[in-house]
Amino acid sequence: MLDGYIMKLYENIRARRIALKMTQQELAAKLGYKSTSTIAKIESGENDIPQSKIVAFARALETTPGAFPVDMENIIGTDIFHVASHQGGTPSPDYTFTQDDEILRGGFASFNMKMNKVANIVREIGKQPVLAFGNSSGDAGMFNCTITRNKHKALAFSLLCDDLVRELGSKEKSEKMRAACEEFGWIPISMRDDFKTIYGDRVTREK
């Protein structure tokens, strides 16, 4: 029996598809599935969605993979470039999109980490954030940008991977991050001490 969270995900997929007046066949085509039965089984909870497909489902349904109702256009993250289906190796400035082309996802234009993360925030919202949440050293710049010389009350929260029993944590990395929190004024969140649940009941830790 699927847990409530996963089942809700599948229900949301069906509800969103219907809201867009999209058929199961159309959604299957967007996702590269050959059969509409795959979509039907996913929506009913009979089939699981691979983790790698969740973002693809969100994009196909013009929404986000998370729980918050934020349009995909308003997400600040790793930049991805797009190409035309008949473009081949022609550089984009030299290629004209034709009526026979389709837009395909390319590779990464830039990774959303360190100074790139700060630059993305400046480019996308043009304001200093008041809250920042992260889980790695790549978020340090975003943390500092958020709390430094901010005219509003601002906080930065860093998730520590310090649970070695329920999750594949790292004592060395979590201690290093905790020390950085103390040094720079970020607020540590301990997976070991602050999380009642990390994964659902069906998930077990494996090395």
Side-chain angles (χ1 to χ4, degrees):
M1 184 69 179
L2 295 171
D3 61 45
Y5 175 83
I6 296 298
M7 201 62 217
K8 184 65 176 177
L9 171 64
Y10 299 149
E11 291 171 0
N12 287 345
I13 287 173
R14 182 177 185 276
R16 180 62 178 168
R17 177 181 61 77
I18 292 173
L20 292 174
K21 298 181 180 179
M22 185 186 300
T23 66
Q24 290 182 338
Q25 183 176 5
E26 289 170 334
L27 180 56
K30 281 176 172 283
L31 293 165
Y33 290 122
K34 296 181 180 179
S35 173
T36 58
S37 65
T38 302
I39 301 299
K41 289 178 178 179
I42 287 172
E43 291 182 349
S44 67
E46 185 177 346
N47 281 10
D48 288 341
I49 301 178
Q51 183 71 24
S52 59
K53 275 284 189 181
I54 291 179
V55 172
F57 265 88
R59 291 188 178 280
L61 293 168
E62 301 173 18
T63 185
T64 67
F68 299 105
V70 180
D71 293 334
M72 293 300 290
E73 292 81 4
N74 294 330
I75 294 177
I76 301 174
T78 296
D79 285 337
I80 298 169
F81 67 84
H82 294 81
V83 296
S85 54
H86 297 97
Q87 183 172 340
T90 304
S92 291
D94 299 328
Y95 185 82
T96 300
F97 189 89
T98 72
Q99 295 183 0
D100 295 326
D101 271 321
E102 294 181 10
I103 298 175
L104 304 178
R105 171 175 167 157
F108 292 123
S110 69
F111 287 94
N112 191 45
M113 59 187 298
K114 298 191 175 182
M115 187 55 203
N116 279 349
K117 184 162 288 191
V118 176
N120 286 339
I121 291 172
V122 173
R123 184 182 71 248
E124 297 293 339
I125 67 174
K127 298 178 181 180
Q128 187 176 16
V130 295
L131 289 175
F133 301 85
N135 64 349
S136 74
S137 59
D139 297 313
M142 175 183 64
F143 293 159
N144 290 332
C145 175
T146 298
I147 66 174
T148 301
R149 294 182 295 278
N150 199 319
K151 65 180 180 179
H152 303 289
K153 182 178 180 180
L155 300 171
F157 298 85
S158 181
L159 183 65
L160 308 182
C161 57
D162 58 357
D163 195 312
L164 309 182
V165 176
R166 297 177 298 168
E167 203 261 343
L168 297 177
S170 168
K171 182 179 179 181
E172 179 182 359
K173 290 181 179 179
S174 62
E175 289 179 348
K176 184 176 181 180
M177 181 58 77
R178 184 178 290 278
C181 288
E182 294 177 358
E183 180 179 358
F184 298 110
W186 313 331
I187 300 172
I189 301 175
S190 168
M191 294 185 73
R192 180 192 61 210
D193 302 330
D194 299 326
F195 279 44
K196 180 178 180 180
T197 302
I198 294 181
Y199 299 112
D201 294 335
R202 298 195 311 150
V203 180
T204 57
R205 179 186 184 279
E206 293 185 1
K207 293 185 178 181

